[in-house]
Amino acid sequence: TRMLLEAELDLCGSDKERITVLEKILAEAAETERLADRFAKMGQGHQSTALMAKAGRLRIEISLERAKAGKDLPQKGAARSGPDAKIKNGNQQTTTLPATIQAYESVRLFAQVSGVLKKQTVDIGDRVKRGQMLAVLEAVGMEGQVKHDHAALDQARARVDLANVNVAIAEADLETVKLAVKQAEGIVKSAAASARFRASQLKRMNDLLAQKSIDEKIVDEAKERHEAAVETEQSAKAAVGTAKAQIVAGMAKIQQARANVNITKAGVAVAQANLEKSQAQLSLATIDAPFDGVITQRGYFPGDFIRSADRTNNDAPLLIVERMDVMRVSVAIPDRDVSFVNVGDAAEIEIDALPGKKFQAKVSRIAVALDPKTRSMSVEIDLPNPTGAIYPGMTARATIAFAKRKE
């Protein structure tokens, strides 16, 4: 409809007819603004679209008033100076369109944990630095969990120390058993020597008995001493076997103690992970600035209970931080011009709230896709704002120069 009205404006033969067409264009622009504002309030559209529609409507109102006053009335065949006017100049063509100014970055900060807002160090209009603490929530349950996990970690570390002591005890016991084996082996050698001596003594006694040189009673006593020596040797050998079995058991105890050390060390790792997790959750109770910027909205006051963002449908952020050292100037390029606009094209920005000033810039980004509802493509221009005089939401006009269209 807008394009048809603009075409009709070109065909007008008198000033009265042109004013009539401008009034129609104004009515169409007002309806567009009403619909854009309605969709924005319903959450089905962007606020920037509503602002652009408003800027377009204001531009047409100004053009209409100037036309009625007999100033800058568009003439047939001349380039228009309305909201999407084009002025041909040499090998270049320019288009002037309404624009909206937005912060370069805008972040809505939500609480990631539930709790009472304990401290809020900033308010709207305050300038903040990256990493600066903005607010702190009092998460009592999480503070208690951190203390519990600290104690659990200390307990796990103490278990590791105890397990290491048990390893040392098992190793000492094993050394004791090894000494006992050596001692038993020495006793075996002594008992074996004693048994051999008693055996030879018994043999001599038997020889003397055969010669009738001694009494049989003496032989019996020698035989008993030999048998006792043999039993002592066997007992010593059994003691060696028992000691060697204790060595095997001692080595198994050492392995068990070392395994217990590994288990307790794993317990320390688990306790450390639990502590780090609870500390990380507690750290979420502190909200920091994501970048250098300005606080533009505050949603709560100290003492308010705030639910975490994943547990509520409330869209109200705790704070909004916006970066304003560079601003984004958004322009909707009509479909008939989108193929001629390129990144790097020169642009001149005029802001209604800063009359008489013109800001030189270049096209920074192109959406490379048209909005099917408006048949326009979003183009962004980065505009430095070193003095901070430019605010988000200001209405502006952007004049973009691009290659002249071939007729």
Side-chain angles (χ1 to χ4, degrees):
T1 303
R2 177 72 173 272
M3 293 176 64
L4 291 174
L5 289 173
E6 290 176 354
E8 184 179 348
L9 183 63
D10 282 339
L11 298 174
C12 290
S14 65
D15 293 347
K16 184 176 180 180
E17 289 177 352
R18 295 188 183 96
I19 291 173
T20 300
V21 173
L22 280 173
E23 288 175 344
K24 292 180 181 179
I25 294 175
L26 177 61
E28 188 271 338
E31 178 64 15
T32 300
E33 178 189 3
R34 185 186 68 81
L35 292 174
D37 186 61
R38 177 183 176 186
F39 284 125
K41 290 180 179 179
M42 293 171 61
Q44 298 179 358
H46 295 289
Q47 188 64 33
S48 59
T49 303
L51 291 174
M52 291 178 65
K54 180 179 180 180
R57 190 259 302 166
L58 291 174
R59 289 281 298 161
I60 296 171
E61 282 186 353
I62 293 172
S63 298
L64 180 59
E65 292 300 322
R66 292 176 66 86
K68 289 181 177 179
K71 298 178 180 180
D72 298 335
L73 191 65
Q75 299 298 321
K76 181 177 179 180
R80 294 186 298 276
S81 60
D84 67 332
K86 296 182 183 61
I87 302 173
K88 296 183 179 180
N89 181 18
N91 292 326
Q92 281 194 330
Q93 182 169 282
T94 63
T95 180
T96 301
L97 298 163
T100 56
I101 298 176
Q102 303 169 353
Y104 193 78
E105 292 180 271
S106 181
V107 175
R108 306 169 74 207
L109 299 177
F110 290 89
Q112 298 185 60
V113 295
S114 298
V116 175
L117 183 56
K118 182 179 180 180
K119 183 191 298 184
Q120 187 165 275
T121 61
V122 294
D123 211 326
I124 59 172
D126 289 346
R127 296 189 175 276
V128 298
K129 294 291 185 180
R130 178 185 177 89
Q132 178 181 337
M133 184 189 71
L134 306 180
V136 178
L137 275 67
E138 187 173 10
V140 178
M142 290 185 180
E143 292 174 355
Q145 186 64 42
V146 169
K147 293 179 181 178
H148 173 273
D149 291 341
H150 258 301
L153 179 59
D154 292 339
Q155 188 179 46
R157 287 171 175 167
R159 289 197 184 103
V160 172
D161 294 338
L162 180 60
N164 286 323
V165 170
N166 290 335
V167 170
I169 292 173
E171 290 175 344
D173 290 343
L174 179 60
E175 292 301 319
T176 301
V177 172
K178 287 180 178 180
L179 291 174
V181 169
K182 291 181 180 181
Q183 185 178 7
E185 288 175 343
I187 293 174
V188 168
K189 291 178 181 180
S190 176
S194 177
R196 288 193 300 271
F197 171 74
R198 294 301 178 183
S200 63
Q201 198 175 42
L202 177 60
K203 185 177 181 298
R204 286 196 304 271
M205 293 301 172
N206 284 328
D207 291 342
L208 292 173
L209 179 63
Q211 297 174 6
K212 306 293 184 177
S213 300
I214 58 173
D215 189 54
E216 188 176 353
K217 182 179 179 180
I218 296 175
V219 175
D220 291 339
E221 290 176 355
K223 184 178 181 180
E224 287 177 359
R225 286 192 291 270
H226 175 258
E227 290 175 352
V230 171
E231 288 179 0
T232 300
E233 181 184 8
Q234 291 176 348
S235 177
K237 289 180 178 179
V240 170
T242 302
K244 288 183 176 180
Q246 288 177 348
I247 288 178
V248 175
M251 294 177 66
K253 286 182 179 179
I254 291 175
Q255 291 179 351
Q256 183 180 15
R258 288 175 178 170
N260 192 38
V261 170
N262 292 332
I263 291 173
T264 54
K265 285 183 177 179
V268 169
V270 171
Q272 182 71 42
N274 288 335
L275 176 60
E276 290 174 357
K277 179 180 178 181
S278 59
Q279 287 176 332
Q281 290 177 336
L282 181 61
S283 68
L284 296 178
T286 301
I287 293 92
D288 298 329
F291 46 73
D292 294 357
V294 180
I295 304 297
T296 58
Q297 183 173 323
R298 175 205 62 246
Y300 299 90
F301 291 94
D304 285 340
F305 181 80
I306 302 174
R307 295 188 180 276
S308 62
D310 60 345
R311 295 187 179 181
T312 178
N313 294 324
N314 185 9
D315 290 331
L318 186 66
L319 297 165
I320 292 181
V321 184
E322 294 186 295
R323 177 184 168 188
M324 299 186 189
D325 59 328
V326 178
M327 309 299 286
R328 293 180 189 264
V329 181
S330 297
V331 184
I333 304 294
D335 58 353
R336 62 179 179 272
D337 292 331
V338 295
S339 61
F340 301 98
V341 180
N342 298 288
V343 173
D345 285 348
E348 185 178 81
I349 311 300
E350 297 179 76
I351 301 173
D352 294 345
L354 301 174
K357 293 185 177 181
K358 296 182 179 181
F359 302 90
Q360 305 301 319
K362 292 183 179 181
V363 173
S364 302
R365 282 166 295 278
I366 296 176
V368 199
L370 277 70
D371 185 335
K373 295 181 180 179
T374 62
R375 296 298 176 185
S376 62
M377 181 179 70
S378 179
V379 169
E380 289 186 346
I381 302 167
D382 290 348
L383 182 62
N385 186 27
T387 63
I390 305 173
Y391 300 145
M394 284 183 170
T395 56
R397 295 175 301 284
T399 300
I400 301 174
F402 48 84
K404 183 177 180 181
R405 181 184 303 176
K406 293 181 180 180
E407 299 295 342

